[in-house]
């Protein structure tokens, strides 16, 4: 059974940092990503990492400030999102998503974790 458990959200002042975690158990996926959704807006891509090779991709809005990494363990993989130099516009619910190789859609999503950046 696949489970995605997110943690690490919270309230931080502008310029501060947070680290989000997403523990994915049950199987290994090809792609691990973070998305976010602000109130009244659609969910948007933030960052992704490939399990094989570790290549990463970022949305332009977070490039240079956010870093996605993955920890490979026997029973689970944990994907992290280190967020530095946070801005009020980064305020959103952050979701991790996982996808099998060759799939266009994401197979599973985490429950979401709230990040609030005060000015």
């Amino acid at each position: 059974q696949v489970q995605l458990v997110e943690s690490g959200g919270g309230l931080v002042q502008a310029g501060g940092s947070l680290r989000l975690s997403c523990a994915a158990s049950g199987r290994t996926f090809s792609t691990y990503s973070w998305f976010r959704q602000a109130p009244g807006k659609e969910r948007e891509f933030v960052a992704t990492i490939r399990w094989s090779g570790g290549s990463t991709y970022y949305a332009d809005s977070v490039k240079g400030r956010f870093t996605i990494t993955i920890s490979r363990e026997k029973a689970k993989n944990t994907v992290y999102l280190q967020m530095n130099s946070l801005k009020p516009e980064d305020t959103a619910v952050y979701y991790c998503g996982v996808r099998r190789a060759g799939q266009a859609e994401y197979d599973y999503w985490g429950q979401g974790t709230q990040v609030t950046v005060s000015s």
Side-chain angles (χ1 to χ4, degrees):
Q1 182 180 359
V2 174
Q3 281 192 317
L4 301 181
V5 180
E6 300 179 25
S7 60
L11 173 63
V12 64
Q13 288 189 332
S17 298
L18 282 174
R19 189 176 80 155
L20 306 182
S21 301
C22 175
S25 59
R27 61 163 291 169
T28 295
F29 292 87
S30 171
T31 301
Y32 295 75
S33 302
W34 287 97
F35 286 73
R36 66 187 182 187
Q37 187 167 18
K41 295 188 177 181
E42 293 187 352
R43 188 174 296 189
E44 65 174 3
F45 168 77
V46 175
T48 194
I49 187 166
R50 307 289 189 209
W51 188 86
S52 177
S55 56
T56 58
Y57 305 90
Y58 297 91
D60 288 342
S61 59
V62 306
K63 204 172 293 183
R65 300 187 297 121
F66 290 12
T67 302
I68 187 170
T69 57
I70 190 166
S71 171
R72 297 175 175 83
E73 302 171 34
K74 188 174 183 179
K76 67 180 180 181
N77 296 306
T78 302
V79 60
Y80 301 95
L81 186 68
Q82 178 66 43
M83 306 185 294
N84 299 328
S85 302
L86 282 161
K87 305 175 181 180
E89 51 263 44
D90 294 318
T91 295
V93 178
Y94 284 70
Y95 298 90
C96 65
V98 295
R99 188 174 65 187
R100 291 168 291 161
Q103 298 298 309
E105 301 295 324
Y106 280 78
D107 293 289
Y108 297 93
W109 293 93
Q111 79 279 9
T113 186
Q114 177 71 47
V115 171
T116 303
V117 184
S118 63
S119 57

